[in-house]
Each structure stands twice: as C-alpha cells, then as structure tokens.
Amino acid sequence: MGTEVEYTPFELMAVAGARELKNGEIVAVGLGLPVVATFLAKRTHAPDITIMFELGVIDPEPIHTGVGLADPRVWYRSKVLSTFVDMLGGVLHGGRVDVGFLGGLETDAYGNLNTTLLGDPKGKFRHFVGSGGANDIASSSKRTIIIIRHEERKLKEAVSFITSPGYIRGGQERAQAGLPGGPSRVITDKAIFGFDPESKRMTLLSIHPGCTLEDVLGTMGFKPIVPEHVPFTEPPTAEQVRIIREEIDPEGIYSG
Amino acid sequence: MGTEVEYTPFELMAVAGARELKNGEIVAVGLGLPVVATFLAKRTHAPDITIMFELGVIDPEPIHTGVGLADPRVWYRSKVLSTFVDMLGGVLHGGRVDVGFLGGLETDAYGNLNTTLLGDPKGKFRHFVGSGGANDIASSSKRTIIIIRHEERKLKEAVSFITSPGYIRGGQERAQAGLPGGPSRVITDKAIFGFDPESKRMTLLSIHPGCTLEDVLGTMGFKPIVPEHVPFTEPPTAEQVRIIREEIDPEGIYSG
Amino acid sequence: MDKVVTLSEAVASIPSGSHVALSGFAITRATMAFAAEVLRQGIRNLTVSQCVGAMDADLLVGGGAVSRILYGGGSLDRFGRLACVNRAIEEGSIVAEEYSSLSMVFRYVAGALGLPFITIRSLRGSDVLKHLEEKAPSAVAYVDDPFTGEKWLALRPLNPDVAVVQVQVADPEGNAWIYGPRWDNEEQVKASKRTIVITEQLVPTEVIRRDPERTVIHGFRVSHVVHLPFSAHPTAVYRVYDYDADHIRLYAEAAKTPEGMRAYLDKYVYGVKDHWEYLELLGGVRHLTKLAADPILGY
Amino acid sequence: MDKVVTLSEAVASIPSGSHVALSGFAITRATMAFAAEVLRQGIRNLTVSQCVGAMDADLLVGGGAVSRILYGGGSLDRFGRLACVNRAIEEGSIVAEEYSSLSMVFRYVAGALGLPFITIRSLRGSDVLKHLEEKAPSAVAYVDDPFTGEKWLALRPLNPDVAVVQVQVADPEGNAWIYGPRWDNEEQVKASKRTIVITEQLVPTEVIRRDPERTVIHGFRVSHVVHLPFSAHPTAVYRVYDYDADHIRLYAEAAKTPEGMRAYLDKYVYGVKDHWEYLELLGGVRHLTKLAADPILGY
C-alpha cells in the first residue's frame, strides 16, 4: 500500500461519484457535490464528458465557485449558453442524457427523491425548494446517481413527498409509469448503494474506509439489502484530492 | 383631376396590395410582388408593419433585389435572423400573423391556391414548386391576400391541386376544416376581387383603369359574382410609383 | 415605433388580477425594480409564473401582491430559500401550482406555438403530479398517442397576460438581446399576450440590425420598453453587474419572519419614491460601482 | 475530442439506405460538396429530408442516389425549378412525401424534443394532406385535444439517421455557429441520431467559448467535422461567399433534360477526383475570389 491519503467525507463522495461516470457520457448535473464529482471525472479519466446545466449551459470551466446554477460564475467559459427547451427539452427529454446527478432533502429505499417539503403535505409541513429540473432529470435520464448525507432523517423507508421518482414503490412500478432508467447508485458519506434488479430495493455495495456495517445501518431510517460480503469503497487518490482542493473547489464550499 | 400618372400593371398590383395593409399589422410574405407591396406599405402609410419571411427573417431593409427568400440580399439589415420554428411556429401558428401575402400558379373561385402541380395528380402531371410555407400561411393567418396574373389558365373554377386552402369548396368548408381566416382579396392585373360572405365565392370588387368588365370576365376560367355597380380601382400615385421604381425594385425585376 | 416609458407607466398598464410571467431565475435577472413598483402601486391578486422561482416572485409574494404562483420550485441559491413564497404556501395564503422546470417551460412552449396541448414524460409517478391533479386539475390530462396507442401525460398551454423580462440590451421598439443562458424567457415572451422589456442599456435599432442573430425578443411582441439601470438589483445581470451578496443576505435574513419582511418592505420598497431613490438608499454610484461586472468574467 | 476528418471519410460513414437531413434552402447553404462525394462513392437508396428543397437534394436525385424525399417543396428560386426532383416525381422514380415548411419542421421538433407526436393546424383541407394520407399513411393521424375535445391533425416525429449541415464556423468537436437565418437546421440536428458538420472555417474551441450564445450545434451531437472551403458552391454561404449565379444557371439549364444532367455530372462530379479538383475546374482561386462576400452586405 502506498502513502495514506487524507481526505474529507465529502471528497470521498465526490470521488465515488466521479468513478461512476464513463468517458463520452452526457451528464445532467444539479448543484453541489454532483458538480464537483463531474468536473473531477472530466479532469481525470473522462475528458470527453459533456456537462449540462438545465438553464442552458454546456461544458463551462468555472474558476470561481458559484452560489448556485443561476450564478454567472458557474457559466464561465461555456461552449453553449441557451435555454431550458434546448437542455431539458432537446437534450434530456430527447433521450440524450446518460446520467442525471442529483442531491436532495431525503431519499428512500427505492431511490425516490424529495426536495419539496417535510411533514404532512395535507397538514402541517415545511416547504423547501421544489423540483426545478430534478423531476425531469430523474424521469428521463438513462440512469440517475444520488448523492446525499448519511443521516437517519435523510434515508427513510418512504420519503414524505416524491419530487423526483426513483423506482416508486419498487418492482415494475417505475416502468409501468412509463419512465425509462432509474437510480443506479446512492452515494453517502458512509457507503455506496445500488438497487436490487428485481425488487428495486436499495442494496449496500461498499462501505467507506473507516466505517463499519453497524455505522452504516445504524444511521439509516430503513434496512437496505445487505449481501454476505461487502467490500470497502476504494479511497481517493492523492491526485484526485489535489484536483478537488486546488482546481475545482478551492474555497471548500462543497467538499470541505 | 391631377396629372396622369404612368404605371405598369404590376405596379398597380403592388399598390393595390399595399393599400390592403394597415399600420401595425404583422405580415407573412412570400417572394415577388407581395414583397414589393409590403415594402411599399411600410414606406408610406404603414411604417409600423412587421414583415416576416418564413425562414427566419424579420423587417429586413434590402438595397439589392434578391432571386428568392434564400438570397442573402433579402436579409440585409434585418432586426431578427432566426428559424422556421420561430417564424412559422411562434409567430404564425401562435396566431400572431394578421396578413398572409401569397402568389401562385393557379387560384380558383374559392381562393384555393395551387403551387404544386399542373395536370392530373394521379396520371400525367408537371410538378412545380410545392408549398414551402404557403400552406402554413394560408392556414393560420387572420386573412390572406392573393396576387396573381389575370389569365384563364391561372383563374380556374377549381384548381387541379389545393396546395394552400382558401374556402375549399365554399360555404362553411374552411371553418369545418378547423381553419381560421381565409382569403380576403385576390389582386390581378385587371381587377380586385373579394369573397361573398355566405357562399365564399370570388366577387368582383373593382376593375383597373383602362380595363372593361368584358376584359375581366373574358379572360377568367370561371364566372365570379359581379355586383350591379363595379367601380374602377384607384390608380397609383406618382409618389408610390417613384418609391417602387427608385427604392424597392430599381431593377424592375418584380414590377417592371 | 418608440415604446420607451417610465417604469411607473409600464407597471400602471397591468391590472390587478393579471397573470404575469417573470424573467428571474433564483438570484439572476430577477425583475426587482418592477416588483417594488407593483407593490408601491398597490396592484393585487396577481398570478405569477416562472420555471424556477426567483427573488422577484418572493418580493411580490412578501408584499402581498400574489394570489397564485405557477413555478417549478425555486430558491435564493446558497443565500437561502424563497422564504415568503414558502411561508405563503405553508399558511395556504397563496395557491401554488408546483411543476418541474420542463413541465413549466413545455406549457409556455405550447402557448407560444399555438399547440392545443403538449405531451411530457416528466411528472409521472411523482407527488408533484398528484398535487397538480388536485390544485390545477384543468392543467393536466391524459392522451393516447395516435400512432402507438401509448398513454401520455398532456399539459395545457399557458398564455400569461404579460411577460416582464429583464434584458441587457433593447431598442426603443422592444427588440432585445439577452446575454448568458436564457432559461424560459424566450418561451415566456412568445406565450404571453404582450411583453414589458426592462433593459439595462437602450440602443438605437441600428445596433440591433448589426447582429440580428442575437435578437431573442421581437419588437412586435413588446408593449412597453423601460430603460432602467440596476433594475435587477440585488440580483445579477450577466456581463453588466454581479449580484449584491450583502443585500441578498440582508433580504434573506429579513424574509425569515413576517416582521422582518415588513421592515424590509417599509425601508426598501415603500420608504423610497422610485427606483432612483432606492439606488441612492443603497449608497448610490459609489456602492453600485463595486458591483460592475468584469468584462472578461461577466460577473 | 477532435472529430476532424476528410469529406471522403465523413461520407463513407453513411451506409446506402440511410435517412439524411440536408441543410440547404434553395440556393443557400446547400451541401453541394457532400452531395458530389456521395455520388462519387456510389451511395444509393437514400431518404433525403429538408423543409424547403434545395440544390443539394436536386443533385443527389439527379445522380440517382435517392429513393425517397421528404420535403416542403422547393426550387432554385429565380434560377429555376428543382428539375431533377420534379422529373423523378413525374416519372415515379422516387417516392415524394410532400409537406409544408411548418409541418416538416414540426416533425423534426417532435423528434428533437422526444415527443410521441405533435399537433398542427396546417395541411387540413388541402390536397397536400390527401397526398400524404396516401403516400405516407404512417406519418399522419388524428387526435382529440384532451382539454377541449377538438379534433387535431397529429404528425409523427422524424429522426433522420444523420444531419449534414453546412456552417460558417465550427470547432474540432463540432460545436458550430450559423450566421443568417437557420431555417430548420437546429431542429434537423437535434432530431437526427448524429450530425456531420461541414464548415467553411475551423476554429479552436477557445473561439466558441468566447461567444457561446451563438453555438446552435452542440459538439456532442456531431460525429464528424469536415473543414472544406467553398463546400456549398455554387450556392451561397452568408457572410462568406455569394452564390455563383453563372454556375447555377449552367446547372439549371443542364438539369432540364436527363442528357444535360448526365453531361453535368460527368464533368463536375465524376470528372473530378474530389472537391479540390472541382474548385480548380471552376477556375481556382481566381474564380472563387470573385464570389467572396462583402463584409458589410454579407453577400
């Protein structure tokens, strides 16, 4: 084994996310860690990735960290500046997006995402952000990757509001709703999950170095499928950490 | 009466066409005399007309006569250069076009236009230009103005192929096909026609100075409705003729 | 035709109860000066729509001018949530039709192109759709694809009474250019019955004719042109000025409570006569100069 | 990713029997060098589509490479008709699906946006529709508006195998700018499975990043980039060169008869090895210099 590389949990999440992307893929990205992960992939093993932001931006090369998609910092040196119809219509709904990369308030055992509200939609609730392009991206991408913090209140048996559908209530429900694709990975700061091909229930794939199975299961709101042997997640390389810290997120806003 | 103004039949047609346009209207224009008429209106009584060409051109100010809509001469000094979807979709199909201004191979007693073929569509025929945007313009404009030469083979009881519908076979047929508007005027080099509000059959409105009723009816392929009193068409003014000759069509390509 | 008027004249053309499509996206190109003037004129009962909710909608809701909002969710990005919109939804004081970005823009597309309806893959299987079926049953329906027999979700076209759009460059007829991504603005304009253009820079039509590929708003759709610098403040206008981070933070903090919001409105909206006084209250030229965009970065 | 190849390599990627969307409109931005190379490589049985038929389609039909054409009618403007297309239609040697400009572009729009179908007001009550119902019954159908019950004509989406687009400026990835009106070209590209870009000027991606609002073709849609000056000759490329009126007249005269067309092909298509030899045959630099566009007029 080489030198031990130090990294934060968020850096590991970004690296794990980056590894999911193949060169040449078209990626629809929400803000935050998904952006860090995608830029990291593009600067390492996947230089021909196309990065798309819903509001009309392709392949920017920002040098300052923005506060959100609406921040002109995020559009710097783009190849295309256009419209929702061009991005979410022509690229996404037109069937060209390979990977949708999303975060959220909550996700659940079937990879449904909630970014809308917490509480009882018909009674007392707190309203948050809503969908933006997330529902569209979750509905039309060939596959979806979810990045979310590993907390009991964020990983629930069923979300209180399905903003962006995963496998709905599992099995064939997503396909029956007429939707292609579905979530392929859920990346938290403790583990990586996939989905059982039949039941579509979340399945533990790997545990991050330094965590135990008990850590992972004890801080979730539901029990995922746990195979007999669960490997450890591959840690970031020194080069990956350097690129995140020096080039992509020097202010440590997303991955610090 | 003032000085007699000399003019060609085509100049009279262009002037008669211009008079049909009101200030502020949005006009979808095919090439040829309709362009001359519309530019004339814009330079005289209707400066706030918006001129639209189907391929993505708004309000050009050409200084050279082009060979067709595809000729960059026709796009000179435009305010907008865009797309079919923008023009024929957003402006025309979106319901914003007040006047569609069209020419053709043949028209008939109900203002249907043929630009596709002559002969028997199922047997021997000669194929010409087809629709381009003409069918779209005839289908979605609030009203249509047709400019055509006054010849028996061009003014027929029924065209051999309806490229662009007028009132189809008259009466309510156009409305029943789900189409708004319809032809309001047919301008030839001998007369101006309108359409009977009930039967939608072509109706003689005025005869050009120097022509007789016999000239008009004797050189048509069908009998229009002829009211008891038919006035003469108002002749062009000296200023209108000057603008056509000096500013709009100095080479006399369309109106010579 | 010269359509240049004051902001006050343009706003006065909007009756209470109108449906207004706004050009803002979170903290960029939001119609802030417009929203403030709507509040000063006491216009009420508006329906507001935009694909992603922005600070303009939050100010209008916070000032009580809105009874219905159609949007795809929204925020002030990292500065915070749309606190006034969220509070009004939680209290039930406005009706919120919540969409996704694409389903909102497809409703504008159908309105723009004169389509009777438009089909979409989004929303299916989600609670967003269930919500819409309850709150806006006339906006969604199902239709069978006549070619395959497959069942599709259909959306009704949207035709707002007026689109209000912040742009960088416009001429007196309303022909306008937008630098940067344009999100739903083109479709809002084409779907709306008329448009009010609020421009940072007013140029002769001659300038428009020199680069007509850039013209994304056609003059004939525009009823009023307002030439008003910093009219999106504190939100950003790409290539003209950056967002005013301090002021957005101040707003986000104030908007967290009804009392805070009232104090904000009293000072920055009702406490000034017009946009020029607002700019002076902020610190005038000296303050605004700090926000000017770097010509290469655009912010 | 660098996708720059020779014209010959790009054309070789197209199997006989493909559906090719072409960027020409009458006598402007027609894919002339491409069409000549298709003929030289002996590719056959193509389906060709474009909103308004252009000289590129006429050359391909004249050379016998086309078995089906989907178009909205077309001509060589005042230079004449599309004589080869018309003759083939009259003789029944090709299948012609004839549309209007909007109905063609709406089929591309539906293909581009992933819509199962699109509704339209055009075509109704016309013989164009009757014709389509006979020749292309799978392209048209009727659907009831689920909101009003009204009956609408529906068109099936169109997804060509490849769009071939003449542009003024492209980078090695295929990001491209089109000056002047773009007619159906953006929708052709978005609807097609892939795109071949043929550009007058090849620029580094750095140039594209300096004015990204102009990028109407996204690099990721492009499989091949061909850098080939005067590749639309004798048709016009706005801001680069004017149409070659004498050569179009010569072509229009030749195309009037099968014999004339054969002689034209033997000399200008089969009589040259490639596009460079064609340009020399025309008179080389001396001749082409006369066509260069005036920088203010654009023609």
Side-chain angles (χ1 to χ4, degrees), chain B residues 116 129-133 135-136 163, chain D residues 49-51 68-74 96-105 107 123 128-129 132 135-140 155-156 158:
Chain B
T116 300
V129 173
S131 162
N135 172 283
D136 309 305
T163 311
Chain D
S49 68
Q50 55 189 184
C51 277
R68 177 179 286 263
I69 184 168
L70 288 75
Y71 79 139
E97 292 182 31
E98 229 173 309
Y99 295 81
S100 63
S101 297
L102 183 64
S103 48
M104 268 302 296
V105 83
R107 290 199 65 189
L123 303 186
V128 182
L129 179 56
L132 280 174
K135 295 215 175 168
S138 67
V140 290
L155 303 171
R156 190 189 277 272
L158 200 59

Side-chain angles (χ1 to χ4, degrees), chain A residues 31-32 54-57 63-64 66-73 75-76 81-85 88-89 92-95 116-117 121-122 125-133 135-136 139-140 160-165 168-169 176-180 253-254, chain C residues 25-28 51-52 71-79 81 86 89-90 98-103 105-106 109 119-128 130-131 134 150 152 179-184 186-187 236-239 242-243 296-299:
Chain A
L31 207 76
E54 61 176 276
L55 72 173
V57 176
I63 55 172
H64 298 112
V67 296
L69 293 184
D71 190 333
R73 282 158 188 74
W75 317 335
Y76 186 57
L81 291 176
S82 64
T83 67
F84 270 130
V85 173
L88 293 181
L92 177 71
H93 205 262
T116 300
L117 57 84
K122 309 251 180 190
F125 63 86
R126 264 196 93 194
H127 193 274
F128 288 80
V129 173
S131 163
N135 172 282
D136 309 305
S139 300
S140 288
S160 32
F161 190 97
I162 301 181
T163 312
S164 305
I168 311 179
R169 281 169 307 267
Q176 281 157 7
L179 300 177
I253 291 185
Y254 296 111
Chain C
F25 183 116
I27 47 107
T28 297
C51 277
V52 171
Y71 79 139
S75 74
L76 299 180
D77 279 339
R78 293 223 142 208
F79 294 111
R81 300 189 285 137
N86 283 341
I89 292 176
E90 290 161 11
E98 229 172 308
Y99 295 82
S100 64
S101 297
L102 184 64
S103 48
V105 83
F106 265 16
V109 165
T119 51
I120 192 165
R121 193 184 301 114
S122 304
L123 303 186
R124 298 175 74 167
S126 77
D127 288 330
V128 181
K130 281 189 197 150
H131 230 58
E134 281 166 28
E150 226 185 319
W152 277 78
Y179 298 131
R182 301 177 294 282
W183 35 92
D184 51 348
E186 291 180 37
E187 286 71 29
V237 175
Y238 182 55
R239 294 204 206 172
D242 200 3
Y243 49 79
I296 288 181
L297 298 171
Y299 52 85

Side-chain angles (χ1 to χ4, degrees), chain C residues 136-211:
Chain C
S138 67
V140 290
Y142 291 89
V143 65
D144 291 330
D145 177 350
F147 296 108
T148 66
E150 226 185 319
K151 188 175 154 189
W152 277 78
L153 183 64
L155 303 171
R156 189 189 278 272
L158 201 58
N159 292 106
D161 295 306
V162 55
V164 184
V165 184
Q166 293 282 143
V167 306
Q168 285 91 342
V169 177
D171 75 4
E173 293 178 10
N175 297 294
W177 297 348
I178 293 174
Y179 298 131
R182 301 177 294 282
W183 35 92
D184 51 348
N185 293 175
E186 291 180 37
E187 286 71 29
Q188 289 179 312
V189 166
K190 289 175 192 173
S192 295
K193 299 187 184 92
R194 66 184 178 98
T195 294
I196 294 173
V197 162
I198 304 178
T199 186
E200 294 292 332
Q201 195 183 2
L202 185 68
V203 300
T205 300
E206 189 59 35
V207 172
I208 298 293
R209 292 194 193 272
R210 286 187 190 186
D211 204 354

